[in-house]
Amino acid sequence: MNRLTLTAVAALAVMGAAACSDREDDVVQPPAAGAAPEPVTETQAQVAQTQAAVAFGMTRQELEDADLLSAQGNTDLGDVETLVLDANGALTSIVVELEGPGDPKVVVPVAQISSVDQNGEKDLTTTLTAAQLQALPAWTPQG
């Protein structure tokens, strides 16, 4: 290859990496009913994370680091992985990586989640049991 071709290939690789990095896959939005979830832009993700955190009485960092606890707050059921937005950008579900064999990821409706503050540590809680969480739809990350 000549020098000009190598420079062009390198420039395209950098632009492609920059385009990919503008997508935030910790926050996703299904483009249409039944379609695979797609990452939103970094700006959309930041807005969604901030709004969701405020709704739960948390900071964005607290939401990103949150555990999902049992209703009694004594059992760690899983960890927050991904926020799922509807077409209007409203939070509808949170993907939780459950504790246990295989660490399955499930989609938990936001209506089934609330926040809890235990000695200054903010987490999320649910009245769903571990078995009910296991029965929720599995999260299928985009390829």
Side-chain angles (χ1 to χ4, degrees):
M1 284 189 173
N2 65 32
R3 190 175 212 129
L4 181 57
T5 304
L6 286 175
T7 303
V9 169
L12 286 173
V14 168
M15 287 190 301
C20 290
S21 68
D22 187 40
R23 304 299 277 182
E24 176 66 59
D25 55 1
D26 289 342
V27 180
V28 296
Q29 185 173 48
E38 293 184 2
V40 299
T41 66
E42 191 170 330
T43 301
Q44 290 171 311
Q46 289 174 358
V47 169
Q49 287 170 324
T50 299
Q51 290 174 343
V54 168
F56 285 117
M58 302 172 138
T59 66
R60 280 182 52 207
Q61 187 63 46
E62 288 170 331
L63 179 59
E64 291 170 8
D65 294 338
D67 293 327
L68 182 64
L69 305 175
S70 63
Q72 298 75 25
N74 58 0
T75 304
D76 183 354
L77 300 169
D79 299 313
V80 171
E81 288 291 316
T82 304
L83 304 180
V84 181
L85 311 178
D86 67 13
N88 297 318
L91 179 66
T92 59
S93 307
I94 295 180
V95 176
V96 175
E97 181 177 18
L98 299 177
E99 297 292 327
D103 297 325
K105 294 180 182 177
V106 296
V107 181
V108 183
V110 73
Q112 297 290 327
I113 300 171
S114 58
S115 60
V116 63
D117 186 330
Q118 294 182 326
N119 304 318
E121 173 112 10
K122 294 185 179 181
D123 284 308
L124 300 176
T125 186
T126 185
T127 57
L128 297 173
T129 65
Q132 289 170 321
L133 287 168
Q134 289 279 348
L136 289 174
W139 173 248
T140 307
Q142 52 271 13

